[in-house]
Amino acid sequence: MKILTDTNGLVRATETSWQQHLKMAIRCPQQLADRLDLPLDSICPKQSTSSFPLFVPLPFLSRIRPGDRNDPLLRQVLPSSRENEWHPDFSLDPVGDSRFQVTTGLLHKYTGRALMVVTGTCAIHCRYCFRRHFPYENSSTMARGWQAAVDHLANDHSIHEIILSGGDPLTVVDSQLETLIDRLKGIHHIKRLRIHTRLPIVIPQRITRRLVALLAKSRLTAVVVVHANHANEIDSEVAAAIDRLRSNSISVLNQSVLLKGVNDDPVALVELSDRLVEIGVLPYYLHQLDPVAGAAHFEVPVARGLELMTHLRRTLPGYMVPRYVREIPGEPSKTILA
């Protein structure tokens, strides 16, 4: 909370902006340890080094239980020495992004839709991120400009949906997003705009009135896909951000990743679906971990995933059960496991 003084000398409080939250995010293991009342050695063992730095915004940090080294939210963002272990089935490009890049920052994997890697900037560094090794400096549209991607989309009439991804596309300021969306809605065969983002979960202040109006007024049908893995990620501010989207007829879906020590038990997954539906978000996908180098310690065997899905189907109504999927490079769609 930021304290300001108005023209009458009265003190008033204003909400911290989403951009301020990005600037204030925790980047130092010592800061993280101090905030969570944990010894530094338990937060960041001396042998733990990584080219993928720590980055945790304060709104997300506030939901982590102090003193709990095994908190499911902390596990998602905490660097580990196990990230340096080599595993033969884990690679730098686990979903084959490089094979499907048709021009700078534009991936065309599936019929009827294309994905634009808008930026390499994220609002949080999830340790299991499947693009943690992606060459954003050469392959994002923000780095190289949007023209080549927009031209390709305009010339390919088979594409009816554009997916904005990254990094996180909502780390781009509203004015730049508006410019991009104006270009996209000028391509007549594009009908839908899908935004994959973690920001409504980790920094819900990002869902500004201007952003909501931008999405709501566009002729493109807007769908926002958020990313929460555990019910504890969803507090009242997240619920309010989702409500701002839904109140303007913007559909909101959730995708999760099945992660060891985070949500690989039936209670956690049931509670997540319960909480999502409570705030009006449809559980969409539960992803089998993409085998990205540095994340093997998060892997849950598919057999265990199938057991968990059986429990969900027995416990929840069908609309609350996400599809359990895996991405296999070269396949024409996600592979449904359950």
Side-chain angles (χ1 to χ4, degrees):
M1 190 74 72
K2 185 177 181 181
I3 305 299
L4 298 178
T5 303
D6 65 18
T7 54
N8 297 316
L10 298 176
V11 175
R12 59 188 175 86
T14 64
E15 291 294 331
T16 304
S17 75
W18 67 273
Q19 289 159 302
Q20 289 172 315
H21 276 305
L22 284 177
K23 291 177 182 178
M24 296 187 300
I26 298 296
R27 296 170 170 85
C28 170
Q30 183 66 65
Q31 283 183 305
L32 186 63
D34 292 344
R35 291 269 188 165
L36 295 177
D37 194 24
L38 286 166
L40 180 61
D41 285 351
S42 73
I43 284 289
C44 189
K46 293 180 181 178
Q47 70 272 26
S48 176
T49 59
S50 175
S51 59
F52 191 46
L54 173 75
F55 192 88
V56 188
L58 298 183
F60 188 87
L61 181 69
S62 69
R63 303 169 213 153
I64 298 174
R65 292 188 294 263
D68 185 356
R69 174 62 175 75
N70 294 314
D71 180 89
L73 277 59
L74 177 60
R75 289 179 66 87
Q76 295 180 55
V77 298
L78 185 62
S80 167
S81 59
R82 299 192 64 186
E83 294 177 29
N84 300 316
E85 297 174 357
W86 180 80
H87 293 265
D89 297 326
F90 284 68
S91 69
L92 301 181
D93 185 12
V95 298
D97 278 345
S98 59
R99 293 163 48 185
F100 298 102
Q101 185 165 247
V102 293
T103 189
T104 301
L106 190 69
L107 310 180
H108 194 177
K109 294 184 181 183
Y110 302 136
T111 301
R113 52 214 187 269
L115 183 147
M116 184 180 289
V117 180
V118 177
T119 176
T121 302
C122 277
I124 191 168
H125 285 181
C126 303
R127 310 313 300 179
Y128 53 87
C129 178
F130 71 97
R131 288 203 182 113
R132 58 181 289 170
H133 305 290
F134 190 81
Y136 289 110
E137 65 279 5
N138 299 316
S139 302
S140 73
T141 53
M142 280 294 289
R144 294 299 185 94
W146 294 324
Q147 191 61 49
V150 171
D151 287 346
H152 183 92
L153 291 169
N155 292 324
D156 190 338
H157 290 253
S158 72
I159 297 174
H160 304 298
E161 179 175 350
I162 181 67
I163 303 164
L164 302 187
S165 184
D168 195 311
L170 291 191
T171 59
V172 177
V173 297
D174 290 338
S175 59
Q176 291 179 311
L177 274 178
E178 186 168 18
T179 299
L180 175 58
I181 292 172
D182 282 345
R183 298 289 302 278
L184 295 173
K185 71 183 183 184
I187 302 173
H188 298 298
H189 53 269
I190 294 182
K191 301 176 182 178
R192 294 178 300 277
L193 174 70
R194 195 191 330 166
I195 298 176
H196 282 210
T197 175
R198 192 115 156 88
L199 263 160
I201 303 298
V202 300
I203 305 178
Q205 293 81 0
R206 177 62 186 98
I207 308 305
T208 61
R209 291 181 180 180
R210 182 177 179 181
L211 174 64
V212 171
L214 170 62
L215 298 178
K217 75 179 182 180
S218 173
R219 72 162 185 86
L220 302 174
T221 300
V223 178
V224 174
V225 182
V226 298
H227 176 185
N229 298 311
H230 195 279
N232 291 357
E233 296 178 45
I234 303 171
D235 63 6
S236 60
E237 290 189 340
V238 172
I242 298 301
D243 184 65
R244 290 194 288 275
L245 293 167
R246 295 182 63 249
S247 296
N248 286 272
S249 302
I250 298 167
S251 299
V252 187
L253 312 175
N254 182 69
Q255 57 181 357
S256 307
V257 182
L258 185 59
L259 299 167
K260 186 176 182 180
V262 174
N263 58 10
D264 59 331
D265 70 84
V267 173
L269 290 176
V270 167
E271 289 179 348
L272 175 60
S273 283
D274 273 338
R275 185 65 175 129
L276 287 168
V277 172
E278 182 181 4
I279 66 170
V281 177
L282 188 68
Y284 173 43
Y285 276 156
L286 175 64
H287 287 266
Q288 180 66 15
L289 178 73
D290 292 317
V292 62
H297 55 292
F298 284 111
E299 187 176 35
V300 178
V302 171
R304 175 58 175 162
L306 293 173
E307 291 176 0
L308 292 167
M309 291 303 299
T310 297
H311 178 85
L312 292 183
R313 286 195 300 270
R314 290 173 176 170
T315 306
L316 297 172
Y319 66 89
M320 292 178 65
V321 179
R323 284 176 286 180
Y324 181 33
V325 299
R326 155 175 271 162
E327 180 155 357
I328 300 175
E331 290 297 309
S333 65
K334 296 283 194 302
T335 298
I336 296 178
L337 301 173

